[in-house]
Amino acid sequence: MLVVAAALFDGAGRVLLHQRPHDKHHGGLWEFPGGKVEENESPEAALARELAEELGISVDSRAFAPACFTTGPLPRGGDGALVILLYTCTQWRGEPRALEGEAVAWLDLTSCAGMDLAPLDQLLLADLSGRAGR
């Protein structure tokens, strides 16, 4: 299963985290916003669609820069693997708000580590933080 996510950075260098709906897998945990890539959809187009659905923002798919990826087991023990592609983005239209989740928060990368992150988002954050420190 291919999933895309965005590390949205504001002008102060903070990144947006999105709290998962309580009734979903990993409910209440924090994550980078995004979602599943649908059939015949590019990862960037899927991410633009997901950010519009989840946060109410509009992003040109050319504004995404590949950052890192991680893999893990499918939710609820399904067969196969989950692959998450993380992109960074600094340009969008609209004010991000939690349309499908519980909340959003703007944090510096160091503060993100103190949040209750979904397991694969912990790995993405570590990779993203390592790249930022270079």
Side-chain angles (χ1 to χ4, degrees):
M1 176 187 305
L2 183 59
V3 172
V4 288
L8 299 171
F9 284 95
D10 69 5
R14 299 175 305 170
V15 67
L16 183 136
L17 291 180
H18 185 246
Q19 189 178 29
R20 290 187 57 78
H22 289 297
D23 62 345
K24 300 258 178 147
H25 183 68
H26 292 312
L29 298 183
W30 292 85
E31 67 181 355
F32 294 104
K36 295 176 189 144
V37 177
E38 295 179 358
E39 190 174 339
N40 298 319
E41 188 176 40
S42 73
E44 296 83 1
L47 188 51
R49 175 184 51 75
E50 288 286 349
L51 295 176
E53 292 171 3
E54 290 184 3
L55 303 176
I57 61 173
S58 176
V59 184
D60 183 323
S61 61
R62 295 171 294 181
F64 298 122
C68 56
F69 75 96
T70 193
T71 63
L74 288 175
R76 297 179 182 90
D79 290 334
L82 177 69
V83 177
I84 302 177
L85 306 176
L86 182 68
Y87 293 81
T88 59
C89 181
T90 59
Q91 299 175 354
W92 60 86
R93 290 180 302 285
E95 185 63 31
R97 56 198 189 285
L99 298 178
E100 292 187 356
E102 301 299 323
V104 296
W106 289 100
L107 304 158
D108 61 56
L109 287 176
T110 302
S111 298
C112 290
M115 300 296 283
D116 195 8
L117 293 170
L120 294 180
D121 288 83
Q122 293 174 17
L123 299 174
L124 292 171
L125 176 63
D127 198 348
L128 187 63
S129 296
R131 292 172 189 274
R134 289 184 198 159

